[in-house]
Amino acid sequence: MDAHVTPLYKQNEENRPIPEPGPDEVLLRMHSVGICGSDVHYWQHGRIGDFVVKDPMVLGHEASGTVVKVGSGVTHLKPGDRVAIEPGVPREMDEFCRTGRYNLSPTIFFCATPPDNGNLCRYYKHSASYCYKLPDNVTFEEGALIEPLSVGIHACKRAGVTLGSKVFVSGSGPIGLVNVLVAKMMGAAAVVITDLSASRLQKAKEVGADFTIQVKNETPQEVASKVESLLGCMPEITVECTGVQACIQAGIYATRSGGTLVLVGLGPEMVTVPIVNAAVREVDIRGIFRYCNTWPVAIALLASKRVNVKPLVTHRFPLEKALEAFETTKRGEGVKVMLKCDPTDHNP
């Protein structure tokens, strides 16, 4: 069965009708859509955990565009408004929505998570309440990057990063990098980051990491020891962005007693970790699932120029070259690959 490769090829050849927005929706002419590791994973494997691609699916969930039509009930947006799209939209007002943690709602709609289509297309309709107007000084690409930036905001909030925190970020992919950006923004005094790739660690330096460790074949304990020696102490906070078993182990060993380890990267369902080490040292292990209530915060940070996400974009492709863009991401080249969906405007 080749359902897992269908979505991408369909994007290149399929003409879909321009959707009609419902009363509380807006129709968008898409502009910039970033490619996420999860998009590549669905394309290659057709599933992530319990989310299985059964029918052709449009990919893409890091996105921005221009409003071209508004539903009858929409008052805060008008045609011509440039917006960033929050891809997760609750379908019902359940207990999680009532407590402000709508990301945990089991029935949430989420772009490009089966069976929900994403927004890597020319025209796309979305709930108006989850489209956020971009200020004039924030570009479409910055708007699309709010999605990964939101993961960093949510993770650092869950971790409790604050003034003077010493932070260890594991993994220097796009999500590791946004965690560096946000941790520094939230007052971290020192951030150390690890990765296998020297070029990715160089990018981490550019966005504000104080120390980098290129991991080769060290044991988790050895990595933890290097983190401690560079920071001059064990970090109170570790943000694990790889999902790799050895990295989670290193995260537990590295975190100061009484500190917090946040698991952002997700790997296999079952992982062997030194849980007793964490337990007897009161290291809190927290998970995160996407984000909630982060778009207004991210827009304020971008508009005030307190956070610069522009260096994350290393490649741009027109929508017609989606396959080439996905191949580039799959090979691990650059940091963030951006697809440009508006043939009349390829500007950032």
Side-chain angles (χ1 to χ4, degrees), residues 209-244:
D210 298 281
F211 307 103
T212 62
I213 299 170
Q214 187 173 5
V215 179
K216 293 189 169 68
N217 46 18
E218 293 89 343
T219 66
Q221 290 95 330
E222 286 168 344
V223 171
S225 177
K226 284 191 171 187
V227 168
E228 182 180 3
S229 64
L230 279 174
L231 288 175
C233 61
M234 295 171 81
E236 303 103 322
I237 288 161
T238 298
V239 184
E240 209 300 298
C241 302
T242 71
V244 174

Tab-separated table of all heavy atoms in Angstrom, residues 209-244:
chain	number	residue	atom	x	y	z
A	209	ALA	N	23.067	30.169	21.950
A	209	ALA	CA	23.594	29.157	22.875
A	209	ALA	C	24.960	29.608	23.400
A	209	ALA	O	25.784	30.125	22.643
A	209	ALA	CB	23.722	27.812	22.183
A	210	ASP	N	25.187	29.417	24.699
A	210	ASP	CA	26.462	29.830	25.305
A	210	ASP	C	27.544	28.774	25.118
A	210	ASP	O	28.719	29.092	24.949
A	210	ASP	CB	26.255	30.093	26.798
A	210	ASP	CG	25.265	31.215	27.029
A	210	ASP	OD1	25.661	32.386	26.890
A	210	ASP	OD2	24.083	30.917	27.311
A	211	PHE	N	27.138	27.500	25.159
A	211	PHE	CA	28.096	26.397	25.017
A	211	PHE	C	27.507	25.326	24.108
A	211	PHE	O	26.292	25.111	24.111
A	211	PHE	CB	28.409	25.754	26.382
A	211	PHE	CG	28.855	26.725	27.432
A	211	PHE	CD1	27.979	27.143	28.432
A	211	PHE	CD2	30.146	27.223	27.435
A	211	PHE	CE1	28.377	28.038	29.410
A	211	PHE	CE2	30.566	28.126	28.419
A	211	PHE	CZ	29.686	28.539	29.403
A	212	THR	N	28.369	24.664	23.349
A	212	THR	CA	27.914	23.556	22.508
A	212	THR	C	28.780	22.328	22.768
A	212	THR	O	29.965	22.449	23.089
A	212	THR	CB	27.989	23.909	21.007
A	212	THR	OG1	29.361	24.170	20.654
A	212	THR	CG2	27.148	25.130	20.672
A	213	ILE	N	28.152	21.170	22.638
A	213	ILE	CA	28.872	19.895	22.780
A	213	ILE	C	28.533	19.032	21.565
A	213	ILE	O	27.356	18.716	21.339
A	213	ILE	CB	28.445	19.138	24.055
A	213	ILE	CG1	28.766	19.959	25.312
A	213	ILE	CG2	29.116	17.764	24.122
A	213	ILE	CD1	28.153	19.386	26.594
A	214	GLN	N	29.547	18.707	20.775
A	214	GLN	CA	29.308	17.787	19.671
A	214	GLN	C	29.459	16.358	20.197
A	214	GLN	O	30.544	15.925	20.577
A	214	GLN	CB	30.279	18.033	18.515
A	214	GLN	CG	29.931	17.196	17.286
A	214	GLN	CD	30.776	17.534	16.065
A	214	GLN	OE1	31.705	18.347	16.147
A	214	GLN	NE2	30.473	16.926	14.940
A	215	VAL	N	28.353	15.649	20.239
A	215	VAL	CA	28.344	14.291	20.791
A	215	VAL	C	28.864	13.318	19.732
A	215	VAL	O	28.463	13.374	18.566
A	215	VAL	CB	26.912	13.887	21.216
A	215	VAL	CG1	26.896	12.472	21.775
A	215	VAL	CG2	26.376	14.873	22.242
A	216	LYS	N	29.775	12.437	20.157
A	216	LYS	CA	30.282	11.430	19.222
A	216	LYS	C	29.843	10.050	19.708
A	216	LYS	O	28.816	9.548	19.281
A	216	LYS	CB	31.792	11.568	19.092
A	216	LYS	CG	32.191	12.894	18.408
A	216	LYS	CD	33.662	12.980	18.071
A	216	LYS	CE	33.959	14.166	17.165
A	216	LYS	NZ	33.766	15.479	17.823
A	217	ASN	N	30.587	9.447	20.617
A	217	ASN	CA	30.154	8.142	21.136
A	217	ASN	C	30.250	8.085	22.655
A	217	ASN	O	30.487	7.033	23.230
A	217	ASN	CB	30.973	7.007	20.481
A	217	ASN	CG	32.462	7.337	20.472
A	217	ASN	OD1	32.892	8.221	21.225
A	217	ASN	ND2	33.219	6.648	19.645
A	218	GLU	N	30.041	9.245	23.292
A	218	GLU	CA	30.090	9.290	24.754
A	218	GLU	C	28.897	8.540	25.362
A	218	GLU	O	27.836	8.442	24.744
A	218	GLU	CB	30.043	10.745	25.250
A	218	GLU	CG	31.271	11.570	24.891
A	218	GLU	CD	31.155	12.265	23.551
A	218	GLU	OE1	30.277	11.881	22.742
A	218	GLU	OE2	31.950	13.181	23.312
A	219	THR	N	29.078	8.035	26.567
A	219	THR	CA	27.956	7.434	27.297
A	219	THR	C	27.072	8.572	27.802
A	219	THR	O	27.527	9.726	27.902
A	219	THR	CB	28.453	6.622	28.504
A	219	THR	OG1	29.050	7.539	29.446
A	219	THR	CG2	29.467	5.565	28.091
A	220	PRO	N	25.819	8.279	28.151
A	220	PRO	CA	24.957	9.323	28.718
A	220	PRO	C	25.578	9.998	29.944
A	220	PRO	O	25.484	11.220	30.103
A	220	PRO	CB	23.679	8.560	29.081
A	220	PRO	CG	23.622	7.438	28.089
A	220	PRO	CD	25.055	7.029	27.887
A	221	GLN	N	26.247	9.203	30.785
A	221	GLN	CA	26.878	9.803	31.971
A	221	GLN	C	28.002	10.764	31.575
A	221	GLN	O	28.196	11.808	32.218
A	221	GLN	CB	27.446	8.710	32.901
A	221	GLN	CG	26.376	7.891	33.604
A	221	GLN	CD	26.043	6.609	32.860
A	221	GLN	OE1	26.152	6.550	31.627
A	221	GLN	NE2	25.622	5.586	33.594
A	222	GLU	N	28.739	10.400	30.539
A	222	GLU	CA	29.829	11.275	30.070
A	222	GLU	C	29.281	12.581	29.495
A	222	GLU	O	29.860	13.652	29.707
A	222	GLU	CB	30.679	10.542	29.034
A	222	GLU	CG	31.586	9.478	29.632
A	222	GLU	CD	32.212	8.556	28.583
A	222	GLU	OE1	31.729	8.516	27.422
A	222	GLU	OE2	33.187	7.862	28.932
A	223	VAL	N	28.171	12.492	28.767
A	223	VAL	CA	27.542	13.714	28.244
A	223	VAL	C	27.108	14.597	29.408
A	223	VAL	O	27.356	15.816	29.423
A	223	VAL	CB	26.336	13.370	27.340
A	223	VAL	CG1	25.557	14.643	26.975
A	223	VAL	CG2	26.789	12.649	26.069
A	224	ALA	N	26.481	13.987	30.424
A	224	ALA	CA	26.028	14.740	31.599
A	224	ALA	C	27.198	15.433	32.292
A	224	ALA	O	27.086	16.592	32.723
A	224	ALA	CB	25.306	13.810	32.571
A	225	SER	N	28.305	14.728	32.361
A	225	SER	CA	29.496	15.282	33.005
A	225	SER	C	30.033	16.486	32.227
A	225	SER	O	30.449	17.501	32.816
A	225	SER	CB	30.559	14.184	33.108
A	225	SER	OG	31.735	14.700	33.654
A	226	LYS	N	30.033	16.400	30.888
A	226	LYS	CA	30.483	17.523	30.050
A	226	LYS	C	29.582	18.738	30.228
A	226	LYS	O	30.051	19.875	30.272
A	226	LYS	CB	30.494	17.110	28.568
A	226	LYS	CG	31.661	16.221	28.181
A	226	LYS	CD	31.750	16.070	26.666
A	226	LYS	CE	33.045	15.350	26.274
A	226	LYS	NZ	33.261	15.314	24.820
A	227	VAL	N	28.274	18.493	30.308
A	227	VAL	CA	27.308	19.581	30.523
A	227	VAL	C	27.630	20.296	31.835
A	227	VAL	O	27.701	21.535	31.892
A	227	VAL	CB	25.853	19.033	30.532
A	227	VAL	CG1	24.874	20.091	31.051
A	227	VAL	CG2	25.446	18.563	29.137
A	228	GLU	N	27.863	19.503	32.871
A	228	GLU	CA	28.144	20.086	34.182
A	228	GLU	C	29.433	20.898	34.177
A	228	GLU	O	29.495	22.004	34.733
A	228	GLU	CB	28.231	18.986	35.252
A	228	GLU	CG	28.464	19.534	36.650
A	228	GLU	CD	28.551	18.451	37.722
A	228	GLU	OE1	28.492	17.252	37.384
A	228	GLU	OE2	28.674	18.823	38.907
A	229	SER	N	30.464	20.381	33.511
A	229	SER	CA	31.744	21.089	33.534
A	229	SER	C	31.668	22.400	32.740
A	229	SER	O	32.264	23.407	33.141
A	229	SER	CB	32.881	20.201	33.011
A	229	SER	OG	32.675	19.888	31.656
A	230	LEU	N	30.901	22.425	31.647
A	230	LEU	CA	30.773	23.660	30.873
A	230	LEU	C	29.955	24.717	31.616
A	230	LEU	O	30.298	25.898	31.598
A	230	LEU	CB	30.118	23.375	29.509
A	230	LEU	CG	31.044	22.816	28.417
A	230	LEU	CD1	30.231	22.441	27.185
A	230	LEU	CD2	32.113	23.841	28.031
A	231	LEU	N	28.881	24.297	32.264
A	231	LEU	CA	28.021	25.247	32.977
A	231	LEU	C	28.606	25.641	34.331
A	231	LEU	O	28.230	26.655	34.909
A	231	LEU	CB	26.620	24.652	33.192
A	231	LEU	CG	25.706	24.530	31.972
A	231	LEU	CD1	24.425	23.806	32.347
A	231	LEU	CD2	25.383	25.902	31.376
A	232	GLY	N	29.531	24.802	34.858
A	232	GLY	CA	30.071	25.034	36.199
A	232	GLY	C	29.165	24.489	37.285
A	232	GLY	O	29.440	24.628	38.478
A	233	CYS	N	28.058	23.878	36.875
A	233	CYS	CA	27.124	23.254	37.810
A	233	CYS	C	26.165	22.400	36.976
A	233	CYS	O	26.156	22.486	35.749
A	233	CYS	CB	26.326	24.301	38.588
A	233	CYS	SG	25.321	25.352	37.528
A	234	MET	N	25.366	21.591	37.632
A	234	MET	CA	24.339	20.839	36.899
A	234	MET	C	23.177	21.789	36.592
A	234	MET	O	22.829	22.626	37.427
A	234	MET	CB	23.855	19.651	37.735
A	234	MET	CG	24.935	18.604	37.982
A	234	MET	SD	24.423	17.343	39.178
A	234	MET	CE	23.438	16.252	38.140
A	235	PRO	N	22.593	21.701	35.416
A	235	PRO	CA	21.481	22.598	35.069
A	235	PRO	C	20.214	22.257	35.859
A	235	PRO	O	19.938	21.096	36.120
A	235	PRO	CB	21.263	22.326	33.575
A	235	PRO	CG	21.741	20.923	33.384
A	235	PRO	CD	22.898	20.754	34.331
A	236	GLU	N	19.455	23.314	36.224
A	236	GLU	CA	18.165	23.061	36.887
A	236	GLU	C	17.150	22.515	35.889
A	236	GLU	O	16.176	21.880	36.268
A	236	GLU	CB	17.554	24.348	37.469
A	236	GLU	CG	18.402	25.102	38.444
A	236	GLU	CD	19.036	26.329	37.796
A	236	GLU	OE1	19.445	26.266	36.616
A	236	GLU	OE2	19.139	27.342	38.489
A	237	ILE	N	17.376	22.829	34.611
A	237	ILE	CA	16.380	22.502	33.585
A	237	ILE	C	17.052	21.840	32.396
A	237	ILE	O	18.081	22.314	31.898
A	237	ILE	CB	15.656	23.780	33.128
A	237	ILE	CG1	14.715	24.272	34.245
A	237	ILE	CG2	14.853	23.547	31.833
A	237	ILE	CD1	14.316	25.698	34.124
A	238	THR	N	16.456	20.741	31.945
A	238	THR	CA	16.886	20.095	30.702
A	238	THR	C	15.680	20.010	29.776
A	238	THR	O	14.589	19.615	30.191
A	238	THR	CB	17.442	18.677	30.961
A	238	THR	OG1	18.598	18.778	31.802
A	238	THR	CG2	17.833	17.992	29.662
A	239	VAL	N	15.895	20.401	28.519
A	239	VAL	CA	14.845	20.316	27.505
A	239	VAL	C	15.322	19.313	26.459
A	239	VAL	O	16.272	19.582	25.719
A	239	VAL	CB	14.561	21.692	26.865
A	239	VAL	CG1	13.391	21.595	25.885
A	239	VAL	CG2	14.277	22.743	27.933
A	240	GLU	N	14.687	18.141	26.427
A	240	GLU	CA	15.141	17.042	25.557
A	240	GLU	C	14.328	17.075	24.260
A	240	GLU	O	13.124	16.875	24.263
A	240	GLU	CB	14.935	15.708	26.293
A	240	GLU	CG	15.918	14.625	25.881
A	240	GLU	CD	15.853	14.284	24.400
A	240	GLU	OE1	14.804	13.828	23.935
A	240	GLU	OE2	16.868	14.494	23.703
A	241	CYS	N	15.017	17.338	23.143
A	241	CYS	CA	14.324	17.566	21.867
A	241	CYS	C	14.588	16.481	20.822
A	241	CYS	O	14.259	16.674	19.650
A	241	CYS	CB	14.725	18.924	21.292
A	241	CYS	SG	14.380	20.306	22.391
A	242	THR	N	15.159	15.353	21.211
A	242	THR	CA	15.490	14.334	20.208
A	242	THR	C	14.596	13.095	20.277
A	242	THR	O	14.320	12.472	19.256
A	242	THR	CB	16.954	13.845	20.350
A	242	THR	OG1	17.074	13.049	21.540
A	242	THR	CG2	17.923	15.019	20.414
A	243	GLY	N	14.176	12.710	21.467
A	243	GLY	CA	13.415	11.473	21.616
A	243	GLY	C	14.280	10.228	21.611
A	243	GLY	O	13.784	9.110	21.716
A	244	VAL	N	15.596	10.413	21.503
A	244	VAL	CA	16.532	9.287	21.468
A	244	VAL	C	16.781	8.781	22.886
A	244	VAL	O	17.021	9.580	23.808
A	244	VAL	CB	17.864	9.709	20.803
A	244	VAL	CG1	18.900	8.593	20.878
A	244	VAL	CG2	17.622	10.137	19.350
